[in-house]
Amino acid sequence: MQVKKQSLVQLLPCFLLLSQLSHLSRGDVGTASRYSPPYLPTACFGDDQTEFPSSNLFAAAGDGIWDNGASCGRQYLVRCISASEPGTCVPDQTIQVKIVDYAPTALSPSSAESTTIVLSETAFGGITNTAADSINIEFQQ
């Protein structure tokens, strides 16, 4: 009986670590870049400026989340998890963005090609400390 108690006590830290790791990762992992004005017209809403959130936290969907236009208007929580340059990500900062465009056809070019999502300047600046071209993100709808 003494051996079983000791084994369980030794496994307890492992269980605690696993429970913490599962709490940290709730979304998908992808990449993000940024784009600058002009933002209109968009593939989702044409010239309708009223579809842009007043916070300027919006994005263009890459091919991975475009879903033949079904992503238009969707809201995503986005968090920077890493970048090639240390210190790029703002720790523990998550933003909510609205999809307003399709990245491959957006009027302004993206700072990096083929990313999961292309964030507005304001949105990108909300989760980064530097002007990186692309970052690794965790995101969820």
Side-chain angles (χ1 to χ4, degrees):
M1 191 67 157
Q2 185 66 11
V3 173
K4 284 186 178 181
K5 276 187 176 180
Q6 188 176 7
S7 295
L8 289 175
V9 170
Q10 288 174 337
L11 289 176
L12 186 61
C14 292
F15 288 125
L16 291 173
L17 179 64
L18 287 174
S19 69
Q20 289 300 312
L21 289 176
S22 67
H23 172 72
L24 294 175
S25 180
R26 294 184 183 175
D28 294 315
V29 174
T31 55
S33 56
R34 60 185 156 71
Y35 71 134
S36 305
Y39 297 117
L40 293 173
T42 70
C44 294
F45 307 112
D47 288 314
D48 189 356
Q49 251 183 325
T50 64
E51 290 295 336
F52 285 77
S54 58
S55 64
N56 288 321
L57 297 176
F58 58 87
D63 285 325
I65 62 170
W66 177 241
D67 198 15
N68 292 320
S71 65
C72 290
R74 285 184 187 158
Q75 304 277 333
Y76 285 93
L77 295 174
V78 181
R79 179 174 72 93
C80 180
I81 56 174
S82 69
S84 59
E85 182 71 31
T88 298
C89 296
V90 175
D92 302 317
Q93 181 65 39
T94 301
I95 57 170
Q96 183 173 330
V97 296
K98 178 181 180 178
I99 300 297
V100 298
D101 207 351
Y102 179 45
T105 63
L107 189 58
S108 297
S110 169
S111 59
E113 294 200 15
S114 302
T115 56
T116 308
I117 196 165
V118 182
L119 301 169
S120 67
E121 285 182 335
T122 302
F124 197 84
I127 57 173
T128 62
N129 291 315
T130 63
D133 286 337
S134 68
I135 56 173
N136 297 310
I137 58 166
E138 180 182 68
F139 65 100
Q140 69 179 18
Q141 187 176 336

